[in-house]
Amino acid sequence: MIRDQQVFSNGSLLWQDAPAAELTDFLRRGYDRFSGQYPKFHKMDALSKLGWLAAEVLLRTAPVEDHLPEQVAIVLSNRSASLDTDLRYYNTVKDIPSPALFVYTLANIVIGEICIRHGFKGEHIFFTTGGFDAQQVMAYAQILLDTGVATACICGWVEVMEQQYEAVLYLVERQQREESRPFTVAEMNNIYDLRF
């Protein structure tokens, strides 16, 4: 979970940045702390950087090496789609449109960046809703798991709008591990609503 310049995993604070840090500075320092060896990160928009960083943190404690790349799915959602980047791109249209920003004017690009980094080739979808909709995310992920399309699914919420941001990702597996939380709407809402 990433909120308010803080990074959590399994309820424990992993790292905290300066309280007044700008989003771009926070993401850069988070990248240095949790990865640091992926030059493509610097070309991404803020939404992709945030989702990518959240996936890096998640996969440290919830590895997916036991799953085939074709069977790792991703189901994400947010409120603003790619509006933060769309507005930045629109501002460049007045002079010379930025192709570097245009690439990120779809919210699902964050999924592509996560997949490229980790070699995932499974099904994926990005929902845009008024708020975190655990029922929708769970229903879609459960279909993928029940039908055998996926054996693991990264689910969650990745939202960026100007300096407001949050990312909450979790891994669901068809064969639930002993230490994992149950895959229910109530539990997903609990994870999302956690305030530390």
Side-chain angles (χ1 to χ4, degrees):
M1 173 186 302
I2 300 175
R3 281 192 182 122
D4 304 321
Q5 291 85 20
Q6 298 176 322
V7 178
F8 295 91
S9 180
N10 295 327
S12 299
L13 178 65
L14 296 180
W15 175 65
Q16 180 172 334
D17 200 9
E22 291 286 319
L23 176 58
T24 54
D25 296 333
F26 168 76
L27 291 170
R28 172 55 199 226
R29 286 191 286 271
Y31 163 81
D32 290 341
R33 173 126 183 143
F34 295 104
S35 181
Q37 295 299 318
Y38 195 70
K40 190 174 181 194
F41 177 85
H42 305 291
K43 296 179 181 180
M44 295 179 202
D45 72 329
L47 181 67
S48 295
K49 286 179 179 179
L50 181 63
W52 187 93
L53 180 59
E56 290 295 296
V57 172
L58 171 70
L59 295 172
R60 288 175 138 209
T61 58
V64 293
E65 288 84 18
D66 297 343
H67 302 278
L68 295 172
E70 298 80 19
Q71 293 188 311
V72 178
I74 301 179
V75 179
L76 299 181
S77 62
N78 77 5
R79 175 183 315 106
S80 302
S82 60
L83 185 58
D84 183 71
T85 302
D86 296 346
L87 293 171
R88 293 174 198 274
Y89 176 72
Y90 176 75
N91 288 331
T92 70
V93 172
K94 297 172 188 171
D95 296 319
I96 299 173
S98 169
L101 283 174
F102 180 74
V103 169
Y104 293 96
T105 55
L106 291 173
N108 67 331
I109 299 301
V110 63
I111 294 173
E113 295 292 0
I114 294 167
C115 288
I116 290 168
R117 165 70 165 159
H118 296 282
F120 301 148
K121 299 176 183 174
E123 296 288 323
H124 57 269
I125 192 165
F126 198 107
F127 294 110
T128 303
T129 57
F132 179 64
D133 187 342
Q135 179 63 47
Q136 182 180 42
V137 171
M138 183 186 155
Y140 197 88
Q142 195 66 60
I143 289 169
L144 296 175
L145 296 169
D146 289 347
T147 59
V149 170
T151 57
C153 186
I154 296 171
C155 300
W157 176 265
V158 181
E159 167 71 12
V160 171
M161 190 59 199
E162 298 175 339
Q163 292 300 310
Q164 302 298 314
Y165 62 91
E166 61 184 359
V168 180
L169 298 185
Y170 45 94
L171 178 69
V172 179
E173 297 174 286
R174 188 171 6 165
Q175 297 295 323
Q176 190 172 342
R177 296 177 195 233
E178 195 172 298
E179 68 278 1
S180 52
R181 294 177 167 186
F183 185 43
T184 64
V185 169
E187 189 61 30
M188 289 185 355
N189 280 324
N190 286 339
I191 293 168
Y192 177 76
D193 289 334
L194 278 174
R195 301 286 190 240
F196 298 97

